[in-house]
Amino acid sequence: MKVTIKLDAMLADQVKKASATEKSSIEDYITNVLSNHIKTGNFEQRQFVGKQIVGNKMDIKSHLVMMDGIYYRFDLINEKEPTADAKYTVVGNNGNVLYLKK
C-alpha cells in the first residue's frame, strides 16, 4: 500500500534527521516507527520487522536465514540474490517467509 502524508516543516526535519541517524531511508524509518508503535500481528511481525541482518548471514543455496535461533525462508524485495556485505531489513512476513529489503 502506498500512502502520502503531509508533515509540517519541523516534523519533516525531525524525521529526516532521525532516519539519517539510524542510517535508513525516510520510508524505512517511518515504517519502523509505525511497526514498533502498532503491536499487532503475529510473532514474526512483532519480533523481527525492523531488525537488520547482513547478507553474508543468509544461506543462498537453501534460501534460509537465522533470526534469533530460528531458521526462516526469505524473499528479497527488488533483488535476486543477497550482497554479502549489504544490510537487509525485515519489512514483513508471510508465515515462515521473511521479506527482506536492502
Side-chain angles (χ1 to χ4, degrees):
M1 173 174 69
K2 185 175 182 175
V3 176
T4 301
I5 60 172
K6 291 184 180 184
L7 304 176
D8 63 47
M10 190 170 87
L11 181 57
D13 189 50
Q14 290 173 329
V15 168
K16 286 178 190 176
K17 287 178 182 176
S19 67
T21 299
E22 292 190 13
K23 295 183 172 107
S24 68
S25 69
I26 292 172
E27 177 184 345
D28 288 344
Y29 175 78
I30 291 172
T31 300
N32 289 337
V33 168
L34 291 173
S35 296
N36 290 333
H37 182 72
I38 300 171
K39 296 295 183 187
T40 59
N42 58 36
F43 173 79
E44 287 78 11
Q45 289 168 341
R46 291 188 310 269
Q47 297 297 317
F48 302 138
V49 170
K51 285 194 174 184
Q52 288 191 333
I53 187 160
V54 180
N56 64 6
K57 300 291 183 183
M58 297 178 211
D59 186 338
I60 298 169
K61 207 174 214 181
S62 64
H63 226 66
L64 294 174
V65 61
M66 185 184 287
M67 296 292 290
D68 293 347
I70 304 169
Y71 282 101
Y72 289 89
R73 289 186 294 152
F74 67 88
D75 279 338
L76 297 175
I77 296 175
N78 299 329
E79 281 190 75
K80 292 188 183 226
E81 292 188 11
T83 305
D85 60 344
K87 289 185 180 178
Y88 294 86
T89 302
V90 179
V91 295
N93 81 299
N94 184 9
N96 68 339
V97 178
L98 300 178
Y99 299 116
L100 307 174
K101 185 177 179 184
K102 193 176 194 179

